[in-house]
Amino acid sequence: MLRSVTVNEAILGNGAQEIDLSHDRLRELKITKCRVMRLSLRCPQLRSLSLKRSNMSQAMLNCPLLQLLDIASCHKLLDAAIRSAAISCPQLESLDVSNCSCVSDETLREIAQACAGLHILKASYCPNISLESVHLPMLTVLKLHSCEGITSASMTWIANSHALEVLELDNCNLLTSVALHLSRLQSISLVHCRKFTELNLQSAMLSSITVSNCPALRRITVASNSLRRLALQKQENLTTLVLQCQSLQEVDLSDCESLSNTVCEIFSDDGGCPMLKSLILDNCESLTEVRFCNSSLATLSLVGCRAVTSLELKCPGIEQICLDGCDHLETALFQPVALRSLNLGICPKLSVLNIEAPYMVSLELKGCGVLSEASIICPMLTSLDASFCSQLTDDCLSATTASCPLIESLVLMSCPSIGSDGLSSLNGLPNLTVLDLSYTFLMNLEPIFKSCIQLKVLKLQACKYLADSSLEPLYKEGALPALEELDLSYGTLCQTAIDDLLAYCTHLTHLSLNGCVNMHDLDWGSTNVQLFDYFGVYGSSENTQEPAETANRLLQNLNCVGCPNIRKVCIPPAARFYHLSSLNLSLSVNLKEVSLACSNLVLLNLSNCCSLEVLKLVCPRLASLFLQSCNMDEAGVEAAISGCCSLETLDLRFCPKISSVSMGRFRTVCPSLKRVFSSPNLLQD
């Protein structure tokens, strides 16, 4: 009743004698990696026989019903022996003679005549075959890896296999072209064919094309109704591509350096790929003008296409585009597109921009330094970043605000051409809450106070032309009542203006005064004067704000980094900084004394305050204290952290008066410490 036998890595007999095997019911036999001189089989019911990698010199088969014969890598089998074994099996459907180097076309011709129903032929690594005059009309699978005799002439005979579905021609180094019109072909593979120049395929059922590392390939023509994905990466010499693929949805042509602008015609609506969704043209460095009119395209990638100067998209369905590295782009037209976001900040030469995007919510033009005119019609736009667009004009800004009324965040940093007319147009943006006008030539803020009533964040870094009185409406007239965050870093406002701002704008939650040379001591603890007397009180009817001592301050973050004239910071409980959670005074090189009693302070940064001598802290919630490169001694630090019962992180790196061996003392004084950073002090350690 035996049906299947497997013998693997065995010596049959003494390895030098004939083995006879006879069995009436055996259906499957595997004798693999075995040593045997000759093999004789008489198995009338045998359907599958594998002799792979066995070293016999002859195999005599009496197996009339055999359908699968695998004699791959049987190096001692001569051509005649292979021929004799195969033609004795008239029902053969699958034959594997891979790595049988002596197999010839004559043997394949006789096998084709004797085995009319042969469906699968695997003849890889057989250098002597070219398939000349080999007729295999029933063949469905043909694998010819590394067959040196396969040339373009072989395609004539392969074309006669009308039932062929799978064709593999990898590493066929003499193959120069493939032209096949096979209605049932589904898959073809051409890998490492170094002389291969042209591919022409027509098959309604073709669904898989694998072509890679064919450096000479120049032309590809494909017609298929089933192909959905086509990947042709790194075909450096490919210049011509013709596609008629009704179902094609994804195309990857990355690193096809020789493709010209005509490739755009293929992927437009009339180009033969009406269902295309995704197109990748990364590093196609010969593209200069890219124009697509495609109603189905959803994703386009042009990463690294550095020669592209013009981009025109009429793709109403496109939702994503990648332009990283397109730094020579001069003209960009997106009319219309379905993009929700777009970043053109890597296009410093962009001079013409038209966008019609009904769903776009975010647009970045950061660094488009020569862009002066732009048509931006994006009714859903909420965020526009035009940083460093130095040529952007008032007219362009006015037109944009008119067509994009929902903008909430507008960044115009380093846009010196924007003036009062452009800022006045912001009254058409009722939802504007974030405005960045840093590094501009603003002289007064009146247009902003009138136009941006709902503003919550205003950034005015390095606006050095602002008058000292420009901020008075904030604390005298109640301008911008919703303002929470104000950045005046690197400005030139006088000390009085800064003091008044700190005293009366108690509704601010975030205030940055980094690098302000007129920022002086923050001393709310003077015993000689009342708090309101220290800063001065506007007793006239012009002042509508409450004195500072009667209102709790909402300030949460105060940044005074690199202020050279700060020498003392004193914030007692009476200053009502109940919400202050972060204070950054780093790089204030003349700061000598810090005294804080802030119940909600979580982070204090005093790094590089090299003159710091006195530090007094009553901050029960302080979690992080940074004292890098400070001149504090161990006793001073120990006293400071003793009142900080929640301190977890203490940074004492590069502090010349503190040795690493004293870290244990700090942990004893402050048991909550989890992380203490220090640097070895060679003088003390």
Side-chain angles (χ1 to χ4, degrees), residues 187-229:
S187 173
I188 186 170
S189 179
L190 291 150
V191 179
H192 291 294
C193 298
R194 53 191 179 86
K195 293 187 177 181
F196 185 55
T197 61
E198 183 174 354
L199 175 64
N200 189 329
L201 297 174
Q202 294 189 30
S203 172
M205 300 180 67
L206 187 65
S207 59
S208 175
I209 299 177
T210 302
V211 177
S212 66
N213 297 103
C214 298
L217 184 60
R218 295 183 179 276
R219 181 181 179 88
I220 294 179
T221 302
V222 178
S224 168
N225 292 331
S226 302
L227 189 66
R228 293 180 177 273
R229 186 177 188 277

Side-chain angles (χ1 to χ4, degrees), residues 171-193:
N171 289 291
C172 292
N173 289 326
L174 296 181
L175 185 63
T176 58
S177 64
V178 171
L180 294 172
H181 299 182
L182 295 171
S183 60
R184 297 187 181 181
L185 187 65
Q186 299 176 20
S187 173
I188 186 170
S189 179
L190 291 150
V191 179
H192 291 294
C193 298

Side-chain angles (χ1 to χ4, degrees), residues 315-357:
C315 305
I318 196 166
E319 298 177 352
Q320 183 177 352
I321 182 170
C322 298
L323 298 171
D324 293 351
C326 296
D327 48 10
H328 286 75
L329 191 63
E330 298 175 2
T331 302
L333 308 178
F334 303 87
Q335 297 174 307
V337 291
L339 296 171
R340 292 184 59 83
S341 64
L342 178 62
N343 186 351
L344 293 172
I346 38 71
C347 305
K349 297 184 177 182
L350 188 66
S351 59
V352 177
L353 174 63
N354 291 343
I355 302 177
E356 182 182 337

Side-chain angles (χ1 to χ4, degrees), residues 282-531:
D282 294 352
N283 300 309
C284 293
E285 297 183 357
S286 294
L287 295 179
T288 58
E289 297 181 358
V290 176
R291 290 183 174 85
F292 291 112
C293 180
N294 188 311
S295 56
S296 64
L297 191 64
T299 302
L300 174 64
S301 181
L302 295 167
V303 174
C305 295
R306 301 189 181 279
V308 173
T309 58
S310 175
L311 174 62
E312 182 177 351
L313 297 181
K314 294 182 179 179
C315 305
I318 196 166
E319 298 177 352
Q320 183 177 352
I321 182 170
C322 298
L323 298 171
D324 293 351
C326 296
D327 48 10
H328 286 75
L329 191 63
E330 298 175 2
T331 302
L333 308 178
F334 303 87
Q335 297 174 307
V337 291
L339 296 171
R340 292 184 59 83
S341 64
L342 178 62
N343 186 351
L344 293 172
I346 38 71
C347 305
K349 297 184 177 182
L350 188 66
S351 59
V352 177
L353 174 63
N354 291 343
I355 302 177
E356 182 182 337
Y359 310 111
M360 185 174 291
V361 296
S362 176
L363 175 60
E364 288 195 27
L365 304 175
K366 186 183 298 183
C368 297
V370 298
L371 183 65
S372 58
E373 296 295 332
S375 174
I376 302 174
I377 304 175
C378 305
M380 300 297 291
L381 193 68
T382 59
S383 176
L384 173 59
D385 187 343
S387 302
F388 304 104
C389 293
S390 58
Q391 304 299 317
L392 206 62
T393 63
D394 285 347
D395 290 342
C396 181
L397 180 59
S398 300
T400 300
T401 56
S403 59
C404 308
L406 300 183
I407 291 178
E408 299 174 5
S409 174
L410 179 60
V411 180
L412 298 171
M413 181 173 65
S414 292
C415 295
S417 298
I418 297 296
S420 57
D421 291 342
L423 295 178
S424 297
S425 71
L426 300 184
N427 60 9
L429 303 178
N431 298 327
L432 186 66
T433 56
V434 179
L435 178 61
D436 190 344
L437 293 168
S438 301
Y439 295 91
T440 57
F441 299 152
L442 283 179
M443 301 182 70
N444 69 81
L445 301 175
E446 194 66 27
I448 298 172
F449 294 145
K450 291 182 178 180
S451 304
C452 309
I453 304 300
Q454 303 299 322
L455 205 61
K456 293 182 178 180
V457 178
L458 177 59
K459 297 185 178 182
L460 300 168
Q461 292 186 36
C463 292
K464 297 185 177 182
Y465 293 92
L466 282 177
D468 290 336
S469 60
S470 59
L471 292 177
E472 288 185 2
L474 287 178
Y475 46 83
K476 281 188 175 183
E477 303 170 9
L480 304 182
L483 191 66
E484 298 176 355
E485 181 176 342
L486 179 61
D487 192 342
L488 296 168
S489 300
Y490 313 108
T492 56
L493 290 176
C494 68
Q495 180 181 357
T496 301
I498 294 175
D499 289 346
D500 289 345
L501 181 71
L502 288 167
Y504 290 102
C505 289
T506 57
H507 59 289
L508 293 177
T509 61
H510 294 70
L511 179 60
S512 294
L513 296 163
N514 304 320
C516 290
V517 294
N518 293 321
M519 178 69 190
H520 289 73
D521 295 354
L522 292 168
D523 188 356
W524 276 272
S526 174
T527 58
N528 299 322
V529 294
Q530 296 295 325
L531 183 64

Side-chain angles (χ1 to χ4, degrees), residues 23-40:
H23 197 288
D24 291 337
R25 297 189 178 184
L26 194 66
R27 298 177 68 89
E28 182 181 16
L29 176 61
K30 294 182 180 179
I31 301 177
T32 57
K33 301 181 184 179
C34 291
R35 291 179 58 189
V36 58
M37 180 63 70
R38 291 178 296 276
L39 184 65
S40 177

